[in-house]
Structure formats: structure tokens, C-alpha cells
């Protein structure tokens, strides 16, 4: 990597491609990355930060106002809201993350294989993708919880399947475009193995688009999983989870104690907004390059 | 429409493979292509629905344990009762025969018997479907009217207001329907008392009154999404060479906008709006739950919680069917609006 000292003028740096995708993100892009990193950190270390038991409350202090002990107040059961929000980041973020990783890997591999082999394999993949498209993600997740019981594992597995077609479709058309390029023909003439061409040449060139799509999918997956927990089919009580907390706070809304729903909802919106904006910037970048 | 639609099933292949453009006169060529495209789409629709029905039916066999323990919730029952239940759900027959019974039943409007209510699923659903359809229709109107007008306005009149509108849209796109529902309830139902907190009401006006908050909650993010995409489409068309030429030739601005900008932008606009409306079908589940609208969605959630599987199957099938049919209709509309798509030369 080239290190530039102050005052030096940057003239087409030699290894631009390595970190190319971070260029041109703009303020909003970097801000979104910041929010997402914070949220991810919270998901990883959140439970370690909590000094209070998220599930232990004092019923007498239901809807307690913010105090020195409880910075954001307490929920209907007198549990500390801040602790539950911090701990709830884990289920709220890890679920969508798993969905995105699984569907991105599956979708990209399918897309590369379909674009590379073409013919009947391509047609078969397209048909399967079309069939899965018929099931909206949330519906497939609800069906899965009907079969395997309410909870995150069934929902995450179902959403991973439901999200794969979106990734596969976008990655396939990008891979097809790359495949038609002269440099691929040149590589083939040199006798380079197809797998190697796919992984080392096509994949890097569609990387930004895949990443952009994965980022946007993360927001959608978060909304779907939080919605599932909200209606009581996802993360089960008493586990803290942002989506479930918006739902649990409904009782407080009617009594004009909207804190719980409000804070949890705001965290969801902020995370999804960050994912959307970053995905948008990345998409613009990937279009600008091709 | 066109009689010569029949013909061999077209190998619709990959969109990337260029088919040799047909030589005949433009009109006839594109008409035939549209007819072919329509037939291929309808065949695809039937195939997709067939696969979906297998998935929904087969789900019962994916569940841990045998279907009969699933149907009885693991309660111990007398062997006669189990026999009767097996017979009722045709579990004493082979799996393909069971599927055949179920499918023919469904095609005749018979979705089986609810385990929980001991009533026909068809009639249980029929009494609730109105609420869901009303919710989705109301939201669809909001999305199409508001989304398109915001997008077209911001696209044609860039400026501070347009910028604010687009910025707000970006933020609103990140608001899930259930968060919107909670905030709307707090502000407009609890604080201001303009609308009821939940329930579906009785009588036409009362029903509409009860539907306002749920529809807005369901439509909000989609209005923002459609608005942004419409804005982008309009701006792209405005910048196009032929539009700039028309303006510089001194044609009236309104005429140029109507004939060249809106017409060309209509294809992406209507497609996105249509797809978003199709996407509402799943989103309505969550919104119905918040406002206790007693539609298909809240019935589905109850059925899942109570493990009333015939109801779950029926509602899933209805949702998937309406989603797929809507998507196909949009595709067809798309190709009528822009025949290039059916011919395979379109900006896919």
C-alpha cells in the first residue's frame, strides 16, 4: 500500500483497485459506515457492557422515569430500558447478518455458475429462482415458524432462502456482462481453468455490486426479522430484541409511555437507514465503474 | 386478443442471448412478440403456482414428527379418533394422492377444515379477506397517487422543496411498517384522538376511518421508495437528448413533459409502483396485527401460534397466488407499454 505524506500530490495511485470501493462514498457513505460499525460493535460486546440483568425488573417500578440508575427509564415490567436496548442489539443484528452472509454466498455462487456454464444449467437456476421469488421473505419466514416453532433459527434459514434470488439475479446479469468481455476470452485461450477465472477475475469485478446489494439486503432482512419478532413469531420473550421491544412497548403507547417502542424503533430505523444509504452509494459507485 | 397467439411454447432462454430481430413490419412484429411474451408469462405463472402449491403442501411433511402428531398437537387421542382424522385429511393414502385431493379441493374453493374452529377454512377466510383487500387497496392508492406525484414534482422542479422531499423520502424508506404504525398510533390516535386506536369498524365510512392509519403505516416506506425512483426516472428522461432537442426547438414545455418525459418515464414508474404494491401483501400481516384489523394476516399469525395448519396453508397459498398473479400482470402491462421488452431489445 502506498503511504502519502502531507503535501504530496496523488497522481493515479498504483494499487487503487485494492481499496477502490471506499472511494467516492462521500460524507453520507462514511457516516453510514460509522453507524453500522457502531451497531455491529454493540451486537458483539453489548451484553458485556450491560451492568444490569436485562430480564430482571421490579414490577412496582413499571414505566419508571429516567433516573441515575436507569438512564432511559424502565419498561412495563420495571426492567432497565438501556440495558435491554444494548443487549437487544445482538439478536436484532446477528439475525439479518446471517441472512445476508448466507444469501450472498449462495446467490453469488449460483450466479457465477449459471453465467459461466450457461445452457441448461442457467435455465434450471433461473427457474428455481423464479419459483422462490413467488414467496415474499416474510411469508416464507412465517411458514417456517409455523413448522419448526417460533424463534430466530427457522426464520433466519427461511429468509436466507427467500433473499438468495435477489442476489442471484443481480449477480448473474453482472457476471454475464463480464463473461462477454474480451479479457475473459483471452484468459480462456491461455487455458486458465474456469473456476480460477470466475473466482479471480469475474468475482473481483462484480464485487462492489454484490456488496452494495448485500448492504441493502441487510436493511430489508433487519426489517423482516424485527417485524417477525414484533408479531411474536421471532425472538421469544423475555429475551431482549429491538423488534420485540417495539411490540412490547405497545401497551405503554396506550398509557402514554412510548419510550420503549420509541427507542427500539429509532435504533431499527437508524440502522436500516445507514444500510440503505451505504448500499445506494455503493450501487452508484459500481455503476460508475462499469 | 391476437388469434395467432397459440404456436409452440417459446424458448424464452436467457435475456442476454440476442434473438435475431424479426424483419417484418414493425407493428405486426411487435404484436406477435407481445402475444408470445404473454403466453410465455402465463405458462410461467401456472408453473410457478404449481411449484408453490407443492412447497406449501409439502411443508406439512417437513415439520418435525409425523403429520398426524402435528395435526393433533401431540395430544393423545383414541385410535378411532386418529383414524377419523387420518381419513379426514386423507393421511391414510399415498402422498401424491393426498396432494391431489388437496389441490382439487383448493381449485374448487375447498381449503379443508380448520383444526381449531372445526369450520371450513374457506368460510373462515372469506369473512376476513375483505379487510385485507381493503387495506392493501387503500395503501396502493396512496402509493400510486402520492409516490408518483411527489416523484414527478421533484423531478420536474428541482430546488429546495424537491431536495427536502427526496431527503425525507430517504429517511422514510428506512421506517418499517410496524414502527410507522406505532408512531402514528401514538400521535394521531392516542394524543390527538383523530382516529381509532384499533379495530376495523362497521359501515362504509367508519371502516374507511379505521383504515386510514393502517394504510398510511403500510404505504409510508413504499411512497418514499416510489417517489425516489420516479424522481430519478423523470430526471433521466428530462436530460435525454431528444427531450433537450424538443425544448430547444421551442416546443411548449408542458407538451414536451407530457409527450416525451412522462410517457417514457411511465414504464419504470408503473413497474416499480406495481411491484411495491405486490410487496404490500406480506407487509400487511404485520400492520393488521398492530391495528387488530381481523384480516387474513392476523388470522395467519393466530393460526401459526395455534398450529392450525390447514389455515396456514390456505392463507399462504392465497398470498403467494395474489403476489405471483400481480407480478405477472405488471410484466404484461410493462410489455404493452413498451413493446421493446417483449421483443427482447428493451432496456432490461
Amino acid at each position: 500500500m502506498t503511504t502519502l505524506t502531507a503535501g504530496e500530490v496523488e497522481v493515479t495511485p498504483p494499487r487503487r483497485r485494492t481499496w477502490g470501493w471506499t472511494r467516492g462514498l462521500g460524507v453520507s457513505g462514511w457516516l453510514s459506515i460509522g453507524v453500522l460499525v457502531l451497531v455491529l460493535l454493540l451486537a458483539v460486546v453489548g451484553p458485556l457492557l450491560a451492568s444490569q440483568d436485562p430480564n430482571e425488573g421490579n414490577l412496582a417500578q413499571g414505566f419508571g422515569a429516567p433516573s441515575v440508575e436507569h438512564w432511559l427509564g424502565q419498561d412495563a415490567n420495571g426492567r432497565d430500558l438501556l440495558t435491554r436496548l444494548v443487549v437487544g442489539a445482538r439478536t436484532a443484528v446477528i439475525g439479518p447478518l446471517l441472512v445476508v452472509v448466507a444469501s450472498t454466498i449462495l446467490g453469488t455462487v449460483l450466479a457465477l455458475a449459471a453465467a459461466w456454464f450457461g445452457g441448461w444449467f442457467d435455465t434450471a437456476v433461473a427457474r428455481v429462482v423464479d419459483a422462490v421469488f413467488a414467496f415474499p421473505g416474510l411469508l416464507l419466514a412465517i411458514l417456517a415458524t409455523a413448522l419448526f416453532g417460533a424463534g430466530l433459527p427457522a426464520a433466519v434459514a427461511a429468509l436466507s432462502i427467500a433473499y438468495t434470488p435477489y442476489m442471484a439475479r443481480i449477480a448473474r446479469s453482472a457476471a454475464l456482462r463480464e463473461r462477454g468481455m474480451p479479457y475473459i476470452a483471452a484468459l480462456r485461450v491461455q487455458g486458465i481453468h474456469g473456476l480460477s477465472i470466475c473466482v479471480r477475475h469475474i468475482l473481483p469485478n462484480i464485487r462492489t455490486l454484490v456488496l452494495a446489494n448485500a448492504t441493502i439486503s441487510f436493511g430489508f432482512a433487519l426489517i423482516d426479522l424485527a417485524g417477525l419478532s414484533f408479531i411474536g413469531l421471532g425472538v421469544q420473550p423475555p429475551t431482549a430484541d429491538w423488534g420485540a421491544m417495539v411490540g412490547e412497548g405497545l401497551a405503554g403507547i396506550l398509557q402514554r409511555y412510548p419510550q420503549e417502542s420509541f427507542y427500539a424503533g429509532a435504533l431499527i430505523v437508524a440502522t436500516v437507514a445507514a444500510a440503505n444509504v451505504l448500499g445506494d452509494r455503493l450501487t452508484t459507485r459500481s455503476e460508475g465503474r462499469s | 386478443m391476437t388469434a395467432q397467439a397459440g404456436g409452440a411454447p417459446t424458448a424464452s432462454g436467457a435475456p442476454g442471448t440476442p434473438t435475431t430481430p424479426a424483419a417484418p413490419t414493425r407493428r405486426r412484429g411487435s404484436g406477435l412478440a407481445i402475444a408470445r411474451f404473454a403466453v410465455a408469462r402465463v405458462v410461467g405463472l401456472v408453473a410457478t403456482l404449481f411449484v408453490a402449491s407443492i412447497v406449501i403442501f409439502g411443508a406439512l411433511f417437513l415439520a418435525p414428527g409425523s403429520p398426524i402428531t402435528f395435526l393433533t398437537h401431540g395430544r393423545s387421542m383414541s385410535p378411532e379418533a386418529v383414524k377419523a382424522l387420518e381419513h379426514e385429511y386423507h393421511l391414510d393414502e399415498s402422498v401424491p394422492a393426498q396432494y391431489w385431493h388437496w389441490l382439487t379441493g383448493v381449485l374448487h374453493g375447498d381449503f379443508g377444515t380448520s383444526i381449531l374452529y372445526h369450520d371450513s377454512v374457506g368460510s373462515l377466510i372469506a369473512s376476513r379477506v375483505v379487510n385485507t383487500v381493503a387495506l392493501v387497496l387503500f395503501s396502493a392508492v396512496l402509493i400510486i397517487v402520492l409516490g408518483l406525484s411527489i416523484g414527478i414534482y421533484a423531478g420536474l422542479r428541482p430546488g429546495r422543496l424537491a431536495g427536502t422531499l427526496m431527503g425525507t423520502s430517504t429517511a422514510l424508506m428506512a421506517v418499517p411498517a410496524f414502527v410507522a404504525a406505532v408512531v402514528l398510533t401514538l400521535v394521531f390516535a392516542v394524543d390527538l384522538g383523530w382516529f381509532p386506536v384499533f379495530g376495523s369498524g362497521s359501515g362504509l365510512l367508519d371502516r374507511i376511518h379505521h383504515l386510514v392509519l393502517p394504510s398510511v403505516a403500510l404505504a409510508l416506506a413504499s411512497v418514499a421508495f416510489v417517489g425516489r425512483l420516479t424522481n430519478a426516472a423523470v430526471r433521466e428522461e428530462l436530460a435525454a437528448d431528444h427531450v433537450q432537442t424538443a425544448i430547444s426547438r421551442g416546443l411548449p414545455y408542458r407538451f414536451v413533459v407530457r409527450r416525451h418525459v412522462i410517457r417514457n418515464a411511465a414504464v419504470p414508474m408503473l413497474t416499480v409502483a406495481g411491484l411495491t404494491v405486490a410487496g404490500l401483501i406480506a407487509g400487511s400481516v404485520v400492520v393488521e396485527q398492530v391495528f387488530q384489523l381481523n384480516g387474513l394476516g392476523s388470522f395467519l399469525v393466530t393460526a401459526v401460534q395455534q398450529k392450525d395448519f390447514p389455515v396456514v396453508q390456505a392463507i399462504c397459498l392465497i398470498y403467494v397466488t395474489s403476489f405471483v398473479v400481480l407480478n405477472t400482470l405488471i410484466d404484461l402491462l410493462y410489455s404493452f407499454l413498451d413493446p421493446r421488452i417483449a421483443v427482447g431489445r428493451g432496456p432490461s
Side-chain angles (χ1 to χ4, degrees):
Chain A
M1 223 159 294
T2 52
T3 45
L4 297 172
T5 46
E8 225 176 302
V9 183
E10 191 184 279
V11 193
T12 50
R15 297 208 49 182
R16 198 171 108 193
R17 262 189 55 182
T18 318
W19 286 100
W21 63 271
T22 55
R23 290 166 58 91
L25 282 178
V27 180
S28 59
W30 282 108
L31 212 64
S32 309
I33 291 182
V35 171
L36 289 178
V37 167
L38 264 181
V39 170
L40 280 180
L41 265 178
L42 202 60
V44 176
V45 301
L48 303 175
L49 290 175
S51 56
Q52 304 178 39
D53 187 334
N55 298 329
E56 206 179 286
N58 183 349
L59 274 175
Q61 295 174 355
F63 299 125
S67 62
V68 184
E69 256 175 277
H70 307 288
W71 289 0
L72 291 180
Q74 288 152 289
D75 70 359
N77 296 317
R79 297 175 293 195
D80 182 51
L81 269 186
L82 182 61
T83 310
R84 285 182 71 74
L85 287 172
V86 168
V87 173
R90 182 162 283 185
T91 49
V93 173
I94 300 297
L97 206 59
L98 287 174
V99 170
V100 169
V101 170
S103 62
T104 301
I105 293 176
L106 199 61
T108 313
V109 169
L110 273 178
L112 280 176
W116 186 255
F117 292 116
W120 67 267
F121 184 76
D122 190 24
T123 314
V125 169
R127 289 289 161 274
V128 173
V129 160
D130 279 350
V132 180
F133 251 124
F135 289 88
L138 192 61
L139 194 65
L140 203 62
I142 291 177
L143 188 60
T145 54
L147 297 171
F148 303 104
L152 219 45
V156 166
L159 280 189
S160 305
I161 294 172
Y163 277 48
T164 300
Y166 294 89
M167 181 58 80
R169 200 173 265 196
I170 290 174
R172 177 182 162 279
S173 63
L176 265 183
R177 220 168 26 235
E178 289 297 324
R179 218 207 131 175
M181 299 273 196
Y183 77 92
I184 299 293
L187 289 166
R188 293 184 79 172
V189 168
Q190 292 171 54
I192 295 180
H193 195 264
L195 185 68
S196 173
I197 299 180
C198 282
V199 174
R200 294 185 52 188
H201 298 278
I202 298 184
L203 189 58
N205 279 329
I206 64 171
R207 185 182 54 188
T208 314
L209 189 67
V210 168
L211 194 67
N213 202 43
T215 314
I216 294 173
S217 298
F218 175 78
F220 282 115
L222 201 151
I223 289 181
D224 277 352
L225 282 176
L228 205 64
S229 298
F230 175 84
I231 57 178
L233 297 178
V235 178
Q236 294 298 300
T239 309
D241 172 84
W242 293 351
M245 286 176 74
V246 178
E248 284 162 18
L250 268 181
I253 293 270
L254 302 181
Q255 300 171 41
R256 305 197 185 212
Y257 288 103
Q259 304 93 328
E260 186 177 13
S261 292
F262 186 77
Y263 293 138
L267 283 172
I268 293 173
V269 171
T271 314
V272 174
N276 281 351
V277 170
L278 182 62
D280 239 32
R281 305 295 310 197
L282 287 173
T283 311
T284 317
R285 261 206 55 76
S286 72
E287 278 164 0
R289 256 183 60 163
S290 62
Chain B
M1 292 262 253
T2 14
Q4 68 269 60
T10 50
S12 54
T17 50
T19 44
T20 41
T25 53
R26 248 178 78 208
R27 240 172 214 295
R28 272 193 53 203
S30 66
L32 192 69
I34 290 178
R36 263 207 201 139
F37 180 75
V39 170
R41 288 299 311 182
V42 171
V43 170
L45 167 78
V46 174
T48 308
L49 285 181
F50 180 63
V51 174
S53 73
I54 291 179
V55 170
I56 290 171
F57 175 79
L60 187 58
F61 299 88
L62 274 178
S66 73
I68 195 72
T69 55
F70 197 77
L71 287 174
T72 58
H73 304 196
R75 269 175 284 160
S76 51
M77 293 174 97
S78 66
E80 295 83 55
V82 170
K83 266 256 148 46
L85 204 59
E86 276 184 345
H87 187 70
E88 190 186 337
Y89 290 98
H90 304 289
L91 289 172
D92 46 0
E93 294 170 47
S94 72
V95 175
Q98 289 177 40
Y99 172 70
W100 183 246
H101 274 295
W102 180 73
L103 189 67
T104 46
V106 164
L107 291 177
H108 289 94
D110 172 18
F111 291 94
T113 313
S114 157
I115 296 168
L116 201 66
Y117 296 90
H118 302 290
D119 198 353
S120 106
V121 176
S123 66
L124 286 169
I125 285 176
S127 64
R128 291 169 170 86
V129 79
V130 185
N131 284 328
T132 301
V133 171
L135 172 67
V136 172
L137 273 184
F138 202 156
S139 304
V141 171
L142 287 179
I143 290 172
I144 291 173
V145 172
L146 288 180
L148 294 190
S149 28
I150 289 175
I152 292 175
Y153 173 81
L156 292 180
R157 300 232 191 298
R160 183 169 285 180
L161 181 57
T164 318
L165 276 175
M166 287 303 108
T168 318
S169 297
T170 311
L172 285 183
M173 264 170 62
V175 180
F178 61 93
V179 173
V182 165
V183 174
L184 290 172
T185 305
L186 177 68
V187 176
F188 294 102
V190 177
D191 274 357
L192 295 172
W194 291 356
F195 297 100
V197 176
F198 51 70
S200 39
S202 54
L204 185 67
L205 280 178
D206 193 35
R207 270 171 183 267
I208 293 177
H209 189 217
H210 277 80
L211 270 179
V212 173
L213 287 187
S215 310
V216 173
L218 184 56
L220 199 63
S222 308
V223 167
F225 182 63
V226 170
R228 272 178 57 96
L229 279 165
T230 305
N231 173 48
V234 168
R235 280 182 24 183
E236 197 182 315
E237 289 304 328
L238 256 187
D241 288 342
H242 68 277
V243 173
Q244 291 302 316
T245 312
I247 291 175
S248 61
R249 276 174 61 204
L251 290 173
Y253 185 69
R254 302 180 66 107
F255 176 81
V256 175
V257 165
R258 232 189 8 246
R259 270 296 273 284
H260 297 290
V261 177
I262 302 298
R263 237 182 125 179
N264 270 320
V267 176
M269 270 160 31
L270 289 178
T271 314
V272 168
L275 290 178
T276 321
V277 170
L280 291 183
I281 293 168
S284 66
V285 176
V286 177
V287 172
E288 281 179 22
Q289 192 73 3
V290 184
F291 292 99
Q292 299 173 24
L293 278 183
N294 195 24
L296 286 188
S298 39
F299 194 33
L300 174 64
V301 175
T302 323
V304 169
Q305 280 161 346
Q306 310 280 352
K307 302 229 178 255
D308 195 347
F309 210 71
V311 173
V312 175
Q313 279 181 323
I315 297 182
C316 282
L317 196 67
I318 291 175
Y319 277 150
V320 168
T321 307
S322 23
F323 183 67
V324 177
V325 168
L326 250 167
N327 274 339
T328 308
L329 284 179
I330 294 158
D331 256 19
L332 291 179
L333 181 72
Y334 196 32
S335 73
F336 278 115
L337 282 176
D338 188 351
R340 286 173 301 176
I341 288 144
V343 189
R345 277 176 291 171
S348 56

Coordinates of all heavy atoms in Angstrom, one line a residue, chain B residues 15 19 27 38 53 67 78 84 86 91 107 114 116 135 157 173 176 188 193 214 241 279 294 300 320 329 339 345 348:
Chain B
P15 N -32.1 -13.7 -21.1 CA -32.3 -12.4 -21.7 C -31.1 -11.9 -22.5 O -31.2 -11.0 -23.3 CB -32.6 -11.5 -20.5 CG -32.5 -12.3 -19.3 CD -32.2 -13.7 -19.7
T19 N -31.9 -12.6 -29.8 CA -32.6 -13.3 -30.9 C -32.5 -12.5 -32.1 O -32.6 -11.2 -32.0 CB -34.0 -13.6 -30.5 OG1 -34.5 -12.4 -29.9 CG2 -34.2 -14.7 -29.5
R27 N -45.2 -3.1 -36.7 CA -46.4 -3.3 -36.0 C -46.7 -4.7 -35.7 O -46.9 -5.2 -34.6 CB -47.6 -2.6 -36.6 CG -48.1 -1.6 -35.7 CD -49.1 -0.6 -36.1 NE -48.8 0.6 -35.4 CZ -48.9 0.7 -34.1 NH1 -49.2 -0.3 -33.3 NH2 -48.7 1.9 -33.5
A38 N -46.8 -12.8 -23.8 CA -47.9 -13.0 -22.8 C -48.1 -14.5 -22.6 O -48.3 -14.9 -21.4 CB -49.1 -12.4 -23.4
S53 N -47.5 -24.5 -4.9 CA -48.5 -25.3 -4.2 C -47.9 -26.6 -3.6 O -48.2 -27.0 -2.5 CB -49.7 -25.7 -5.1 OG -49.3 -26.7 -6.1
P67 N -47.1 -36.0 10.3 CA -48.2 -35.0 10.1 C -49.3 -35.2 11.1 O -49.9 -34.2 11.6 CB -48.7 -35.3 8.7 CG -47.6 -35.9 8.0 CD -46.8 -36.7 9.0
S78 N -57.8 -41.2 21.0 CA -58.2 -42.6 20.8 C -57.8 -43.0 19.4 O -57.9 -42.2 18.5 CB -59.7 -42.8 21.1 OG -60.4 -42.1 20.1
A84 N -60.1 -41.4 12.2 CA -61.0 -40.5 11.6 C -60.3 -39.3 11.1 O -60.6 -38.8 10.0 CB -62.1 -40.1 12.6
E86 N -57.1 -39.1 10.3 CA -56.3 -39.5 9.1 C -57.2 -39.6 7.9 O -56.7 -39.2 6.8 CB -55.7 -40.9 9.4 CG -54.4 -40.9 10.2 CD -53.8 -42.2 10.3 OE1 -54.5 -43.2 10.1 OE2 -52.6 -42.3 10.7
L91 N -54.7 -38.8 5.2 CA -53.4 -39.2 5.5 C -53.2 -40.7 5.4 O -52.1 -41.2 5.5 CB -53.0 -38.8 7.0 CG -52.8 -37.3 7.1 CD1 -52.7 -37.0 8.6 CD2 -51.6 -36.8 6.4
L107 N -58.8 -25.9 -5.8 CA -59.3 -25.3 -7.0 C -60.8 -25.2 -7.0 O -61.3 -24.4 -7.8 CB -58.8 -26.2 -8.2 CG -57.3 -26.2 -8.5 CD1 -56.9 -27.1 -9.6 CD2 -56.8 -24.8 -8.8
S114 N -60.6 -26.3 9.4 CA -59.8 -25.7 10.5 C -59.7 -26.7 11.7 O -60.8 -27.1 12.1 CB -60.3 -24.3 10.9 OG -59.8 -24.0 12.2
L116 N -58.8 -25.8 14.6 CA -59.1 -25.1 15.8 C -60.6 -24.8 15.9 O -61.3 -24.9 16.9 CB -58.3 -23.8 15.8 CG -58.2 -23.1 17.2 CD1 -57.3 -24.0 18.1 CD2 -57.5 -21.7 17.0
L135 N -57.4 -3.0 3.0 CA -56.1 -2.4 3.5 C -55.1 -2.2 2.4 O -54.5 -1.1 2.2 CB -55.6 -3.2 4.6 CG -54.2 -2.9 5.1 CD1 -54.2 -1.5 5.8 CD2 -53.6 -3.9 6.0
R157 N -39.3 20.0 -10.9 CA -38.9 21.2 -10.3 C -37.9 21.0 -9.3 O -38.2 21.1 -8.1 CB -40.2 21.8 -9.6 CG -41.4 22.1 -10.5 CD -41.9 23.5 -10.4 NE -43.1 23.7 -11.1 CZ -43.3 23.5 -12.4 NH1 -42.3 23.2 -13.1 NH2 -44.5 23.7 -12.9
M173 N -37.9 5.7 3.9 CA -37.7 4.4 3.3 C -37.2 3.4 4.4 O -37.3 2.2 4.2 CB -36.7 4.5 2.2 CG -37.3 4.6 0.8 SD -36.1 4.9 -0.4 CE -35.1 3.5 -0.3
P176 N -39.8 0.8 9.1 CA -40.6 -0.4 8.9 C -42.0 0.0 9.2 O -42.3 0.9 10.0 CB -40.1 -1.4 9.9 CG -38.8 -0.8 10.4 CD -38.8 0.6 10.2
F188 N -51.6 10.2 16.3 CA -53.0 10.5 15.8 C -54.1 9.8 16.5 O -55.3 10.2 16.3 CB -53.0 10.2 14.3 CG -52.1 11.1 13.5 CD1 -50.9 10.7 13.0 CD2 -52.5 12.4 13.2 CE1 -50.0 11.5 12.3 CE2 -51.6 13.3 12.5 CZ -50.4 12.8 12.1
G193 N -56.3 11.9 19.1 CA -57.6 11.2 19.1 C -58.4 11.4 17.8 O -59.6 11.3 17.8
P214 N -53.8 2.4 9.5 CA -53.1 1.2 9.0 C -52.6 1.4 7.5 O -51.5 1.0 7.2 CB -54.2 0.2 9.0 CG -55.1 0.6 10.0 CD -55.1 2.1 10.0
D241 N -31.4 13.3 -24.8 CA -31.1 14.1 -25.9 C -32.4 14.6 -26.7 O -32.5 15.7 -27.0 CB -30.2 13.4 -26.9 CG -28.8 13.2 -26.4 OD1 -28.5 14.0 -25.5 OD2 -28.1 12.4 -26.9
G279 N -45.7 -6.2 -3.1 CA -44.9 -6.4 -1.9 C -45.7 -6.1 -0.6 O -45.4 -6.6 0.5
N294 N -58.3 -7.9 12.0 CA -59.0 -9.1 11.8 C -59.1 -9.4 10.3 O -60.2 -9.7 9.8 CB -60.4 -9.0 12.4 CG -61.1 -10.4 12.4 OD1 -60.3 -11.4 12.5 ND2 -62.4 -10.5 12.4
L300 N -53.6 -15.4 10.0 CA -52.4 -16.2 9.8 C -51.6 -16.3 11.0 O -51.1 -17.4 11.4 CB -51.6 -15.7 8.6 CG -50.3 -16.4 8.3 CD1 -50.5 -17.8 7.9 CD2 -49.5 -15.6 7.2
V320 N -49.4 -16.1 -1.8 CA -48.4 -16.4 -2.9 C -49.1 -16.2 -4.3 O -48.6 -15.6 -5.2 CB -47.8 -17.8 -2.8 CG1 -47.1 -18.2 -4.0 CG2 -46.9 -17.9 -1.6
L329 N -49.2 -9.7 -14.0 CA -50.0 -8.7 -14.7 C -49.1 -7.4 -14.9 O -49.2 -6.8 -16.0 CB -51.1 -8.3 -13.7 CG -52.3 -9.3 -13.7 CD1 -53.4 -8.8 -12.8 CD2 -52.9 -9.4 -15.2
P339 N -43.3 -2.1 -26.0 CA -43.2 -3.4 -26.8 C -41.7 -3.9 -26.9 O -41.5 -5.1 -27.2 CB -43.8 -3.1 -28.1 CG -44.6 -1.9 -27.9 CD -43.9 -1.1 -26.8
R345 N -35.4 -6.4 -27.0 CA -34.5 -5.4 -27.2 C -34.6 -4.2 -26.2 O -34.0 -3.2 -26.4 CB -34.7 -4.8 -28.7 CG -34.0 -5.6 -29.7 CD -34.4 -5.1 -31.1 NE -35.8 -5.3 -31.4 CZ -36.3 -4.8 -32.5 NH1 -35.7 -4.0 -33.2 NH2 -37.6 -5.0 -32.7
S348 N -33.6 -3.8 -20.5 CA -34.0 -4.7 -19.4 C -33.2 -4.3 -18.1 O -32.1 -4.6 -18.0 CB -33.8 -6.1 -19.8 OG -32.5 -6.4 -20.2

